[in-house]
């Protein structure tokens, strides 16, 4: 059992007051809070080893390079990638997905098909639409049912030899639904399609095993898993990363440059042009260590308790509807109250110190499916408590009374 109060003490912001009330932070889907070890590691980097990496013979540059590459290996082991050069540092999930879609521009032909799920964040829709515009490929959508689950029969039927890419999130940010990605990867591979998994909402809750999943790409953000903002990882299978052209040209991604011809560096450097977010990359490793120290089994147990309690308590409120009622769910509750705009509830409970996200959550097609403008989304982390959920439920009741 986790000692939640002890864990909470690791996060200085959790003892802050907001609008004069103790902070109840339920916007973990947008970004997680940071433990002191992560905050300290950022300062330590700048105080002790700040230098540019892969460039200098001097000691500081070597120390910074070593720390950066050690972090890459740490993340390789965390996601069980076969090689450390399959782990690319990015600025986040959005960057990782765009790197892949940019690469596929030289691979796809008119009439090729890309299957994207109806549960995607805009970051995993728009880059594929842009790719279709460039290449003449066709975007097809894997639909959802009323529970917010992807309809596998339709997915199976959409797959054909025309399908070149399948892309789906591991966990939906708007509804918390966990998708059957292993099944989908296997099916997609059976028709020869590549698979990109958007793991942005999965990595705070579980440890993905990219070899076991057998995905071709797995993109995620560091800031949702206790790491700094502006950090992320794109895992890509070696064969795919060798096949794709570089995303950006610049320093450190080359072997040799002449005006006649430039040759590119080996992986992972081919995809890491320019000075990266060095402290961010190093400290993402610190965040991964921190989460592993807590333990993903413990994280899941705590979050399951929170999800169960929140679902039960919220459903006590008359007129409240939860979106995303499928069986496999992460600790996210997306809801509305009959006749009340989600923004109004969010604004009132913010005055009571409670941070939730309201709106379409950058997933407008899901809102269109349910014919709603948006939802109130409470997304929980292992450092949240049952008492905080009760506080939120009372606040929502109060807001409902004020707005009815
Ligand atoms: N979702 C949310 O509140 P970036 O911004 O690149 O770190 O992550 C983009 C992204 C991609 N995919 C999914 C499934 C996501 O949830 C997100 C970010 C946040 O739900 C901010 S919009």
């Amino acid at each position: 059992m986790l000692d939640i109060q002890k864990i909470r003490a690791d996060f200085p912001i959790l003892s802050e007051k907001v609008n004069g009330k103790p902070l109840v932070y339920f916007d973990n889907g947008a970004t997680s809070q940071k433990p002191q070890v992560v905050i300290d590691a950022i300062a330590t980097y700048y105080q002790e080893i700040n230098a540019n990496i892969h460039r200098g013979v001097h000691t500081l540059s070597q120390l910074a390079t070593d720390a950066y590459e050690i972090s890459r290996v740490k993340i390789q082991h965390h996601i069980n990638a076969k090689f450390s050069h399959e782990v690319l540092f990015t600025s986040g999930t959005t960057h990782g997905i765009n790197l892949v879609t940019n690469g596929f521009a030289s691979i796809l032909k008119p009439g090729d098909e890309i299957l994207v799920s109806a549960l995607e964040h805009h970051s995993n829709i728009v880059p594929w639409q842009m790719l279709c515009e460039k290449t003449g490929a066709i975007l097809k959508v894997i639909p959802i049912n009323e529970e917010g689950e992807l309809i596998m029969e339709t997915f199976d039927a959409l797959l054909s030899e025309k399908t070149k890419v399948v892309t789906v999130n591991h966990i939906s940010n708007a509804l918390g639904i966990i998708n059957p990605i292993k099944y989908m990867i296997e099916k997609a591979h059976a028709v020869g399609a590549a698979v990109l998994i958007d793991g942005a909402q999965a990595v705070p809750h579980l440890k993905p095993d990219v070899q076991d999943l057998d995905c071709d790409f797995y993109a995620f953000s560091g800031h949702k898993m206790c790491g700094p903002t502006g950090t992320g990882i794109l895992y890509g299978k070696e064969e795919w990363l060798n096949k794709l052209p570089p995303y950006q040209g610049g320093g450190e991604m080359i072997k040799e440059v002449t005006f006649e011809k430039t040759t590119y560096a080996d992986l992972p450097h081919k995809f890491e042009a320019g000075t990266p977010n060095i402290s961010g990359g190093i400290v993402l490793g610190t965040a991964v260590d921190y989460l592993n120290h807590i333990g993903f089994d413990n994280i899941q147990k705590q979050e399951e308790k929170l999800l169960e309690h929140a679902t039960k308590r919220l459903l006590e409120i008359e007129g409240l509807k939860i979106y995303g009622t499928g069986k496999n769910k992460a600790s996210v509750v997306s809801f509305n109250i009959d006749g009340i705009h989600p923004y109004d509830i969010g604004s009132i409970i913010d005055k009571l110190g409670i941070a939730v996200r309201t709106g379409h959550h950058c997933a407008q097609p899901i809102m269109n499916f349910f014919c709603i403008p948006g939802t109130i989304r409470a997304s929980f982390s292992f450092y949240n408590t049952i008492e905080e959920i009760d506080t939120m439920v009372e606040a929502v009741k109060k807001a409902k009374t004020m707005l009815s």
Side-chain angles (χ1 to χ4, degrees):
M1 281 292 279
L2 289 181
D3 181 345
I4 302 299
Q5 290 312 322
K6 191 159 166 270
I7 286 170
R8 288 177 67 81
D10 292 341
F11 293 80
I13 206 168
L14 296 180
S15 40
E16 288 292 306
K17 287 195 167 169
V18 169
N19 293 323
K21 306 280 182 195
L23 169 66
V24 172
Y25 187 76
F26 287 162
D27 197 16
N28 296 286
T31 197
S32 73
Q33 295 303 347
K34 320 300 171 202
Q36 191 66 49
V37 278
V38 163
I39 299 167
D40 287 346
I42 296 170
T44 304
Y45 166 78
Y46 285 111
Q47 283 161 4
E48 297 179 7
I49 60 167
N50 176 48
N52 212 328
I53 55 170
H54 300 134
R55 286 159 169 85
V57 287
H58 65 83
T59 304
L60 276 190
S61 175
Q62 306 254 334
L63 286 173
T65 303
D66 288 350
Y68 197 69
E69 292 306 324
I70 285 169
S71 179
R72 192 193 304 274
V73 171
K74 204 175 273 177
I75 294 158
Q76 174 207 347
H77 292 147
H78 182 70
I79 62 173
N80 193 30
K82 198 164 174 187
F83 307 111
S84 63
H85 58 253
E86 294 178 320
V87 174
L88 309 182
F89 282 110
T90 63
S91 65
T93 309
T94 307
H95 176 187
I97 295 170
N98 277 276
L99 187 157
V100 175
T101 57
N102 179 76
F104 269 88
S106 60
I107 293 176
L108 296 189
K109 305 269 174 307
D112 284 346
E113 291 179 0
I114 298 168
L115 298 193
V116 59
S117 105
L119 278 182
E120 298 313 299
H121 184 279
H122 297 163
S123 291
N124 203 28
I125 300 174
V126 182
W128 298 105
Q129 287 175 322
M130 289 161 64
L131 175 62
C132 287
E133 273 174 31
K134 262 192 228 163
T135 60
I138 298 161
L139 199 67
K140 298 223 158 166
V141 183
I142 309 157
I144 50 173
N145 61 23
E146 285 296 322
E147 282 73 47
E149 296 167 316
L150 293 175
I151 303 172
M152 283 303 105
E153 294 75 23
T154 316
F155 167 63
D156 290 346
L158 283 169
L159 284 170
S160 76
E161 73 285 355
K162 286 194 206 151
T163 316
K164 299 299 171 219
V165 183
V166 170
T167 185
V168 59
N169 55 41
H170 197 163
I171 297 181
S172 148
N173 70 315
L175 306 180
I177 295 290
I178 304 173
N179 290 313
I181 57 167
K182 203 164 172 192
Y183 172 86
M184 296 176 79
I185 293 165
E186 210 179 299
K187 286 283 189 166
H189 283 169
V191 296
V195 183
L196 180 143
I197 302 296
D198 171 351
Q201 295 293 337
V203 289
H205 309 294
L206 54 85
K207 209 169 157 157
D209 182 330
V210 292
Q211 287 192 76
D212 178 56
L213 288 170
D214 196 28
C215 53
D216 301 289
F217 303 98
Y218 193 101
F220 59 96
S221 303
H223 68 93
K224 295 188 199 288
M225 56 185 305
C226 294
T229 50
T231 63
I233 296 293
L234 175 70
Y235 158 80
K237 269 188 193 159
E238 183 187 60
E239 57 181 295
W240 271 112
L241 293 181
N242 279 329
K243 217 180 284 180
L244 297 188
Y247 180 40
Q248 292 183 316
E252 280 310 301
M253 52 73 74
I254 52 90
K255 259 195 187 118
E256 205 179 338
V257 177
T258 67
F259 281 111
E260 288 68 44
K261 186 173 166 58
T262 289
T263 50
Y264 304 128
D266 292 331
L267 298 175
H269 308 294
K270 175 177 139 187
F271 290 104
E272 294 182 350
T275 301
N277 179 356
I278 304 168
S279 73
I282 294 170
V283 178
L284 180 53
T286 312
V288 164
D289 281 343
Y290 178 80
L291 289 174
N292 281 316
H293 169 73
I294 303 282
F296 279 88
D297 283 351
N298 291 327
I299 288 174
Q300 274 164 25
K301 272 187 210 132
Q302 171 67 3
E303 291 178 348
E304 269 164 28
K305 265 200 309 195
L306 296 171
L307 175 65
E308 198 185 310
H309 187 73
T311 307
K312 184 170 129 267
R313 290 286 338 262
L314 282 168
L315 286 174
E316 287 168 10
I317 301 173
E318 221 185 288
L320 188 144
K321 178 175 168 155
I322 292 177
Y323 298 89
T325 50
K327 274 192 296 294
N328 286 327
K329 270 191 75 172
S331 51
V332 174
V333 188
S334 225
F335 62 94
N336 271 334
I337 297 179
D338 229 4
I340 303 179
H341 198 283
Y343 177 83
D344 294 336
I345 300 270
S347 304
I348 291 177
I349 69 173
D350 171 57
K351 296 283 172 291
L352 301 169
I354 300 160
V356 290
R357 186 170 173 189
T358 62
H360 55 60
H361 316 298
C362 302
Q364 281 180 349
I366 302 179
M367 304 305 140
N368 293 342
F369 174 81
F370 287 113
C371 303
I372 50 175
T375 69
I376 302 147
R377 183 189 69 178
S379 48
F380 312 116
S381 179
F382 57 90
Y383 46 67
N384 290 128
T385 65
I386 296 286
E387 294 71 33
E388 286 183 306
I389 289 172
D390 291 338
T391 304
M392 176 186 71
V393 172
E394 293 316 311
V396 171
K397 283 184 185 167
K398 204 171 185 173
K400 184 189 164 201
T401 309
M402 284 170 73
L403 294 163
S404 296

